[in-house]
Amino acid sequence: MGRAFVYVIIGGGVAAGYAAHEFVQAGVSSGELCIISEEPVAPYERPALSKGYLLPEAPARLPSFHCCVGTNEERLAPKWYNENGIELILGNRVKSADVRRKTLLTATGETISYKYLIVATGARALKLEEFGVNTLDAPNVCYLRDVADADRLVDVMQSRSGGQAVVIGGGYIGMECAASLVINNLNVTMVFPEAQCMARLFTPKIAAFYEEFYQSKGVKFVKGTVLTSFDFNSDGKVCAVNLRDGSKLPADMVVIGIGIRPNTSLFEGQLTMEKGGIKVNGKMQSSNSSVYAIGDVAAFPVKIVGETRRLEHVDSARRAARHVVSAIIEPEKTGEFDYLPFFYSRVFTLSWQFYGDNAGEVVHFGDFSGHAFGAYWMNKGHLVGSFLEGGTKEQYEALAQATRLKPKIEDLAELESQGLEYAFSV
Ligand code: FAD
Ligand code: NDP
């Protein structure tokens, strides 16, 4: 025997929190919605973990960043779920799913059935072991995906103040953690295989700006190589990092940010997959009509780029969450999800935003020495992507608006000289 719900969400992260909010706005009745999460805490704004959570002074701690504070809406503390008749099952994993029978089996042995299922299982951090490097579970090697990881990182960071931190990976986690480590008084070396940081998004010119800024804060970069092994001391802690180029870096702690893998395993062989995620249509509906997927785990049609993509960013998770609830509750009134990709980061005193697609030719503009610069990407004669560091709210809005319209660009030199002004003229 088990329990039955009209709506079940697997996963208790960003997408789940925003979907719950939307269900309540849409008037879901008490007892209709159940959320099952492996994490022991109610859904929270995951981006806080690499930013406010790591601050040495007045760090962010739960309950202050439960969803949906990230969009200045009400904060959904655990009691909110209770007050709204939402069954919030925490600290419990769904260990198998049967989409034909519409049932889930939890790690505690309960069977839960649904009419509509939303898969919001997010992703897991890639482990070094998957690249053949053994960490031997050393206590000073840190990953960052959830609150438990963040607590461990904070403990290690505080106990190694003044020491050497090696950051593996030059992506989002690497860049944001390196900045936090510096702020916490560690000497940081970043190691990554590419020739520049944030290689999948930044142009070499943009990357050079951030790398120089980080260097001015004391960060060292070792590029074009990967780590091959660790040295351990007698108490099982890592004390050095060995690189493929033959060099050795002393390390009092190591932070790893080498990418993620979507948590799709419950549905392998049951749902169609694409781009490593669960393939959904513009209503976030999978190949099984009762199962929907949102957030990091979903590969959805990004209309504006004309491709199915999986996006690993919070704005996408939030908006898809709102869309899926509408698509389930009012299918006739809900159109296709029409999403403009939006990525951002904040490090030190810097802050950037990106909209659209970083494909095609690039034009840079602004003052790279004065921390107010940007770039436009043009593909097949149209503006498809835009980036801005240090913008105001109005400037970012103008950029987003212009990028969404995909205007035709006749003259690249003219675009370059107009710079940000161009976005206001579209
Ligand atoms: P998640 O928020 O990861 O939630 C997935 C949930 O599913 C988790 O609670 C997990 O425990 C649960 N789960 C998984 N499998 C099961 C199972 N079998 N049973 C039960 N529960 C399960 N994006 C930005 O745009 N800007 C940022 O600044 C930013 N900062 C970030 C900082 C960090 C440290 C991290 C890790 C990510 C950051 N991101 C950022 C990315 C953003 O947080 C994710 O894109 C977003 O959280 C995706 O939401 P989600 O709900 O799909 O997945
Ligand atoms: P990213 O994909 O951003 O970056 C991973 C980095 O690690 C890349 O530079 C990658 O290089 C490199 N790498 C891959 N394999 C190795 C290896 N074996 N050794 C050394 N380096 C390696 O992932 P992150 O881990 O940084 O971020 C995890 C998730 O968190 C992502 O979904 C990200 O979107 C999200 N996040 C987002 C933030 C934001 O939007 N502001 C902030 C923090 C996290 P290559 O490209 O060659 O594979």
Side-chain angles (χ1 to χ4, degrees):
M1 276 297 286
R3 287 185 284 172
F5 295 88
V6 182
Y7 313 106
V8 174
I9 303 176
I10 316 182
V14 172
Y18 280 79
H21 189 251
E22 196 66 18
F23 270 120
V24 169
Q25 300 284 312
V28 70
S29 301
S30 181
E32 285 188 329
L33 172 62
C34 169
I35 298 176
I36 311 166
S37 178
E38 201 173 358
E39 289 188 79
V41 291
Y44 57 90
E45 303 284 0
R46 201 163 301 277
L49 297 181
S50 53
K51 302 174 190 68
Y53 208 89
L54 305 181
L55 291 175
E57 304 287 335
R61 287 292 179 270
L62 287 172
S64 75
F65 60 96
H66 278 300
C67 298
C68 301
V69 292
T71 48
N72 299 320
E73 280 156 296
E74 61 186 314
R75 179 163 57 88
L76 314 184
K79 123 170 179 295
W80 176 89
Y81 295 87
N82 197 12
E83 284 164 2
N84 286 286
I86 298 170
E87 185 67 27
L88 187 58
I89 303 177
L90 297 177
N92 201 348
R93 221 174 79 79
V94 173
K95 67 172 195 184
S96 65
D98 184 334
V99 301
R100 216 169 34 84
R101 292 204 166 90
K102 300 190 178 187
T103 57
L104 308 171
L105 179 64
T106 69
T108 51
E110 189 178 9
T111 299
I112 289 181
S113 56
Y114 60 82
K115 185 165 180 219
Y116 300 98
L117 178 66
I118 300 177
V119 184
T121 46
R124 63 176 179 81
L126 272 173
K127 296 285 153 78
L128 281 173
E129 277 71 7
E130 296 169 62
F131 296 88
V133 177
N134 203 335
T135 63
L136 301 179
D137 290 329
N140 57 342
V141 174
C142 304
Y143 291 87
L144 185 55
R145 184 71 203 179
D146 57 23
V147 170
D149 294 337
D151 285 339
R152 172 174 163 144
L153 176 55
V154 167
D155 280 353
V156 175
M157 196 164 65
Q158 288 176 349
S159 67
R160 306 296 192 285
S161 185
Q164 305 295 327
V166 176
V167 173
I168 306 293
Y172 288 94
I173 292 283
M175 293 300 280
E176 293 188 4
C177 287
S180 296
L181 289 162
V182 169
I183 293 165
N184 281 275
N185 194 32
L186 280 113
N187 302 297
V188 179
T189 303
M190 292 187 70
V191 180
F192 47 83
E194 306 94 340
Q196 61 163 84
C197 69
M198 295 289 294
R200 270 181 264 168
L201 182 64
F202 288 0
T203 64
K205 189 173 167 80
I206 295 174
F209 167 82
Y210 291 97
E211 287 175 16
E212 276 166 33
F213 190 91
Y214 273 55
Q215 279 161 342
S216 76
K217 300 281 179 189
V219 175
K220 296 188 186 75
F221 289 90
V222 180
K223 304 179 196 176
T225 189
V226 292
L227 95 165
T228 49
S229 65
F230 292 115
D231 290 353
F232 300 89
N233 59 20
S234 55
D235 58 2
K237 289 184 182 140
V238 164
C239 56
V241 167
N242 298 307
L243 304 180
R244 189 192 284 156
D245 66 8
S247 58
K248 186 189 286 289
L249 301 171
D252 296 300
M253 66 177 291
V254 180
V255 179
I256 316 285
I258 55 172
I260 61 169
R261 281 288 175 276
N263 291 319
T264 55
S265 60
L266 292 171
F267 301 97
E268 299 288 348
Q270 300 197 72
L271 302 177
T272 304
M273 301 286 161
E274 192 171 326
K275 307 255 162 95
I278 296 171
K279 181 180 169 133
V280 294
N281 62 19
K283 297 198 173 183
M284 317 316 285
Q285 192 174 34
S286 74
S287 53
N288 178 298
S289 61
S290 304
V291 182
Y292 295 73
I294 52 175
D296 285 5
V297 80
F300 64 94
V302 183
K303 265 171 111 173
I304 196 156
V305 294
E307 258 183 35
T308 292
R309 288 195 182 169
R310 211 175 45 68
L311 300 180
E312 301 172 354
H313 293 273
V314 73
D315 180 66
S316 160
R318 290 170 180 156
R319 288 179 194 264
R322 296 197 172 111
H323 193 80
V324 77
V325 172
S326 164
I328 292 173
I329 290 182
E330 296 189 300
E332 290 81 25
K333 289 195 193 155
T334 307
E336 307 281 300
F337 189 40
D338 187 5
Y339 182 65
L340 174 70
F342 165 49
F343 316 148
Y344 71 90
S345 185
R346 291 190 299 274
V347 285
F348 296 115
T349 51
L350 303 174
S351 173
W352 59 260
Q353 299 197 4
F354 170 86
Y355 299 93
D357 192 20
N358 61 331
E361 278 182 278
V362 188
V363 161
H364 295 96
F365 61 82
D367 177 6
F368 276 71
S369 57
H371 300 186
F373 61 88
Y376 293 117
W377 280 259
M378 266 75 47
N379 204 7
K380 298 180 186 138
H382 289 264
L383 178 79
V384 295
S386 55
F387 176 97
L388 185 63
E389 163 60 46
T392 63
K393 188 168 176 281
E394 292 68 33
Q395 290 169 338
Y396 287 130
E397 278 169 8
L399 218 55
Q401 177 73 10
T403 311
R404 178 168 274 292
L405 292 170
K406 287 178 89 173
K408 191 163 175 50
I409 303 294
E410 310 283 356
D411 185 342
L412 291 190
E414 173 66 12
L415 180 67
E416 187 172 10
S417 72
Q418 282 191 338
L420 189 55
E421 284 312 306
Y422 173 76
F424 285 94
S425 70
V426 177

